[in-house]
Amino acid sequence: MATEQSVDLVDDETVGLFTKAVLLAALTAGLAQISIPLPGPLVPFSLQPFGMFFAGLLLGPLWGGVALLLYILVGIAGAPVFSNANAGLGYVIAGQGTGGFLVGFLVGAVVAGAIAHRSIAPKPVADLSVPVQGVALTAAVAVVYAIGIPWMSFVTGLPLSRAAALMAPYIPPDLLKLGIAIAIVQGGYLAGR
Amino acid sequence: MLSYRPGSTFAHRLDPRSKLLVQFGLAIAAVAHPTLPWLVGTTAFALATLAAARLSPLAVLHSYRVVLAVLALAPVVAGVVLGPPWFRVDPALRSALHVGRILPVLLVSAAYLTSTPVRDTRAAVQRLIPGKPGQILGTGMALVVRLFPLVLADVREVRDAIHARGGEARPLRDRVRLLAVRSLERTLDRSDRLSVALRARCFAWNPTLPPLAFERRDYPVLAVGIALAVSPLVPV
């Protein structure tokens, strides 16, 4: 006896958001392998936060979160997508004391998307005003540090204040990245996305 | 770098869901109690998982050398004080114990990574998370793994092109903007092409779940995973 099962096609809009989430997860992984060395004692300039920024701005809270969740899951599964081609649950938990920042990127993308779009469905990125983008991305950076620093303190046994002091040099570059991300949107590079 | 190696060890023959449970269970157990006996117990368990995957502990420690070197600085940072006596032992020991808890988590993670292909973890995720979310995450993981090398090659190509045009002399802000914009443009173009390809192939919610099956050897492993996960409830 032949059995019939109806095919439940994914609608075109969802396919578009899904493929953007997949590719932004891959881009986050790619950018995690690249950093620009800075002179003297300055910390290397990592490009990884751009994945979180663009996931939140382009995809909104739901699909932006899916993008960063895919990134973390693929890393836990063993693909060398974390910085310096690391992988595994052990790296997410411990990292170099910085595992919490990976989880922070996931929550940060959701927060940035929620503030920027104020709904599950993302608006065209050109419709987002500069102040809204600024607040959304600043909140995302704040969330990353709010999760990453206590996590670091828990993993390493360092007092919270000392963990915060260790991560403080990374805050100015992250604010610069935030400004660059907004400049990219305002430059019209993402028009029609 | 730790990655999957084909083999027929006990760890290779286990279902990825039982291995995931042990991995998460051990992570919960390891951080539950920062005491020396607990640390010794979880480390002994982690060494047993390495034996099950026929991995050399020294080779695994070598693979994690950068992570471990950075973590080893934590007790030094914890002990330093600005002023006499300049270094306090108690906070350093406390930090060393905290960092020590991470070692078994890293060891078990290494056993998992080397004995489990990425596609098996993807299958486990798709089976453990029901409905459309599982379908999205499972299919998404497979696509990210497939596309990551291409996107990484794009990013490196853009970086090299900027270097070739004397980009190193430009201000940092311009270099970063160029790299981010060009990489993002290529990524979104790939997204558009993937979207068309999926629609052309009638991308559907109907899941074709990858085959996975528990065997008799998985049940004791599942029990160990559950015991590890609830072990923090046991007073020490």
Side-chain angles (χ1 to χ4, degrees), chain A residues 5-12 14-16 18-31 33-38 45 47 50 54 58 63 66 69-71 73-81 84-91 93-97 153-159 162 166 176-177 180 183-184 189-190 193, chain B residues 1-3 20 23-24 27 31 64 66-67 70-71 74 77-81 91 94-96 98-99 101-102 105-106 109 112-113 116-118 121 125 132 136-137 139-141 143-145 147-148 151-152 155-156 159 172-173 175-177 179-185 187-192 194-195 198-199 202-206:
Chain A
Q5 188 187 7
S6 62
V7 175
D8 182 10
L9 289 178
V10 182
D11 63 273
D12 289 357
T14 306
V15 174
F18 170 65
T19 56
K20 277 199 183 92
V22 163
L23 266 302
L24 283 174
L27 179 64
T28 307
L31 292 176
Q33 314 309 318
I34 306 280
S35 62
I36 299 175
L38 297 180
F45 197 90
L47 298 170
F50 283 106
F54 291 129
L58 285 167
W63 287 98
V66 168
L69 182 58
L70 284 173
Y71 168 60
L73 283 176
V74 163
I76 288 175
V81 295
N84 299 316
N86 278 298
L89 180 67
Y91 191 82
I93 290 175
Q96 287 146 20
S153 169
F154 179 73
V155 166
T156 59
L158 289 171
R162 204 157 282 199
L166 281 178
L176 176 60
K177 288 167 211 173
I180 292 171
I184 288 171
Y189 296 106
L190 303 178
R193 299 290 186 181
Chain B
M1 189 177 72
L2 291 163
S3 58
L20 274 175
Q23 204 183 181
F24 278 99
V31 299
Y64 280 124
V66 176
V67 173
V70 174
L71 286 174
V77 174
V80 169
V81 282
R94 180 175 166 274
S95 172
H98 273 75
V99 169
R101 297 177 309 172
I102 299 305
V105 181
L106 291 172
S109 179
Y112 181 86
L113 288 178
T116 316
V118 173
T121 308
V125 167
K132 290 179 179 177
I136 283 289
L137 292 176
T139 312
M141 285 175 71
L143 288 169
V144 174
V145 170
L147 293 165
F148 163 58
V151 173
L152 179 59
V155 175
R156 287 184 171 147
R159 181 194 60 185
L172 175 69
R173 196 187 54 186
R175 286 157 65 191
V176 173
R177 183 180 53 78
L179 186 53
V181 165
R182 299 291 169 238
S183 303
L184 188 62
E185 278 176 350
T187 301
L188 293 176
D189 286 346
R190 283 192 188 281
S191 162
D192 292 342
L194 177 63
S195 177
L198 287 179
R199 279 184 278 154
C202 298
F203 183 45
W205 289 116
N206 306 60

Side-chain angles (χ1 to χ4, degrees), chain A residues 135-163:
Chain A
V135 171
L137 298 188
T138 307
V141 171
V143 163
V144 169
Y145 282 90
I147 294 174
I149 290 173
W151 191 303
M152 180 187 229
S153 169
F154 179 73
V155 166
T156 59
L158 289 171
L160 205 55
S161 57
R162 204 157 282 199

